[in-house]
Amino acid sequence: SAVISQKPSRDICQRGTSLTIQCQVDSQVTMMFWYRQQPGQSLTLIATANQGSEATYESGFVIDKFPISRPNLTFSTLTVSNMSPEDSSIYLCSVAGSGGYETQYFGPGTRLLVL
Amino acid sequence: GQNIDQPTEMTATEGAIVQINCTYQTSGFNGLFWYQQHAGEAPTFLSYNVLDGLEEKGRFSSFLSRSKGYSYLLLKELQMKDSASYLCAVRLPMTTDSWGKLQFGAGTQVVVTP
């Protein structure tokens, strides 16, 4: 299985600021995803990070609020912009192979608290 | 819409067996995942079923019936460390603008008591 690391592991931020979360994988993967898990909730997909092109966002998530980069097959970043307390959540990077039948793994997550 | 239903909470005694059911109604199906998530941690992959039947991995087994839109995760010989949330997730089919994304259920909190 792929080994996924995320930085930072946790942060406390002030309202109105932005935070960039990094996701690094130890091997090349086809697909990288960003999920959010709000307190007491299940996981919600924010977007699919596409290598070399713009990310594909899910309904309710927009690029201006959650810009994503994916410069290569092992790295991606998610920025949470102009934060508000409602953005307090765990943000998880997830990776999968190709072909539609590969297992999908999650990184350790970034715990964000916005004051 | 996509519906994935699983019980909110289950309690069982150490050493016992617990079966967590998951029913789904989704616009297509490309496999079903089970994840374990301890409080404050990321989900850990447990199993992936794409064909009907039972798959066993040590103390954990997962079953799938595609015709019934049904899966279960069976936890045997429960240990205290098995207390966690168990997430059922359906992988949706690939489309031109979506690569088989996962749709998650709300999770089942399993409490193991001494």
Side-chain angles (χ1 to χ4, degrees):
Chain A
S1 62
V3 177
I4 308 166
S5 60
Q6 284 186 234
K7 282 197 246 185
S9 58
R10 60 178 69 239
D11 207 341
I12 301 173
C13 300
Q14 295 297 319
R15 182 194 299 260
T17 62
S18 297
L19 175 72
T20 295
I21 303 167
Q22 299 180 4
C23 176
Q24 180 74 55
V25 192
D26 69 339
S27 58
Q28 292 186 343
V29 291
T30 305
M31 308 303 298
M32 294 181 80
F33 307 91
W34 287 98
Y35 284 81
R36 180 173 76 180
Q37 187 173 29
Q38 295 181 300
Q41 304 291 315
S42 193
L43 282 77
T44 301
L45 180 63
I46 297 172
T48 302
N50 301 310
Q51 196 248 332
S53 64
E54 195 170 280
T56 304
Y57 289 84
E58 297 300 307
S59 175
F61 298 96
V62 295
I63 188 171
D64 290 346
K65 176 68 176 177
F66 297 102
I68 287 170
S69 78
R70 189 174 173 197
N72 57 51
L73 294 176
T74 63
F75 185 78
S76 178
T77 67
L78 168 75
T79 299
V80 186
S81 304
N82 188 25
M83 288 184 284
S84 67
E86 291 71 35
D87 294 319
S88 296
S89 189
I90 301 174
Y91 292 87
L92 295 145
C93 173
S94 180
V95 305
S98 62
Y101 292 99
E102 295 289 330
T103 50
Q104 188 162 334
Y105 299 98
F106 286 84
T110 295
R111 285 147 192 79
L112 172 62
L113 176 63
V114 183
L115 302 177
Chain B
Q2 322 288 358
N3 287 313
I4 300 174
D5 295 315
Q6 48 182 133
T8 304
E9 184 171 312
M10 302 182 75
T11 301
T13 308
E14 201 173 7
I17 298 173
V18 70
Q19 177 175 315
I20 308 169
N21 296 323
C22 173
T23 58
Y24 62 89
Q25 290 177 303
T26 57
S27 54
F29 177 85
N30 202 10
L32 188 142
F33 290 82
W34 283 98
Y35 290 89
Q36 180 192 60
Q37 187 176 29
H38 285 100
E41 298 182 10
T44 302
F45 169 79
L46 290 178
S47 68
Y48 174 49
N49 293 64
V50 66
L51 299 175
D52 290 350
L54 182 69
E55 294 206 4
E56 298 186 76
K57 276 188 193 179
R59 294 189 299 114
F60 293 3
S61 303
S62 57
F63 172 83
L64 174 67
S65 170
R66 289 172 294 170
S67 62
K68 295 181 180 176
Y70 168 69
S71 173
Y72 68 72
L73 179 70
L74 194 69
L75 286 62
K76 302 177 209 171
E77 301 168 19
L78 277 173
Q79 302 175 8
M80 298 299 291
K81 67 178 181 179
D82 297 329
S83 291
S85 180
Y86 291 83
L87 304 170
C88 171
V90 170
R91 172 175 274 160
L92 303 179
M94 281 189 249
T95 65
T96 53
D97 59 358
S98 172
W99 185 90
K101 67 179 184 182
L102 295 187
Q103 187 75 37
F104 281 85
T108 298
Q109 185 66 42
V110 171
V111 177
V112 181
T113 60

